[in-house]
Amino acid sequence: MSDCLFCKIVAGEIPSTKVYEDETVYAFRDIAPQAPTHVLVIPKVHIKDASEITAENAALVAHCLEVAAMIAKQENLTGGFRIVSNCGADAGQTVNHLHFHVLGGKTLSTEMA
Ligand code: 5GP
Ligand code: ZN
């Protein structure tokens, strides 16, 4: 999608700090980190948010989670970590391209909602 911020990051039109990349997934550091490790894992193809997860793209979504687990190991998050995906206005989603936050490196808030 031409007007999507994360599609532009995937295309290299907007710079980002890459953590991992393969044919279908891209991971980069959040510009406003909320924990010592705050990485965003995204599918390279545009999927709006978690409401668009289907049987057809489920393998890609699972691969995003596999990459998130790999990054947690790479970042040495041995104490634990959190994977978050905000979906829609009530969840505070600000970028409408499916992404998984990987947060860790400190004791995270116990609040989930
Ligand atoms: P959301 O609020 O949609 O769950 O998460 C969007 C995330 O994208 C936020 O944590 C925000 O800091 C991050 N973000 C927004 N714009 C940019 C950017 O241009 N580069 C990077 N690396 N992260 C961004
Ligand atoms: Zn996009």
Side-chain angles (χ1 to χ4, degrees), residues 16-21 26-30 37-41 67 70-72 74-75:
S16 63
T17 305
K18 177 163 77 171
V19 174
Y20 174 85
E21 181 174 17
Y26 189 70
F28 56 104
R29 297 207 185 272
D30 196 291
T37 290
H38 188 168
V39 172
L40 301 172
V41 181
V67 167
M70 194 205 69
I71 287 167
Q74 202 171 282
E75 298 275 315

Side-chain angles (χ1 to χ4, degrees), residues 5-6 9 14-17 28-32 34 38 40 86 92-95 99 101:
L5 176 68
F6 286 177
I9 283 179
I14 290 173
S16 63
T17 305
F28 56 104
R29 297 207 185 272
D30 196 291
I31 203 165
Q34 295 189 31
H38 188 168
L40 301 172
N86 294 318
Q93 184 180 11
T94 58
V95 179
H99 52 281
H101 298 257

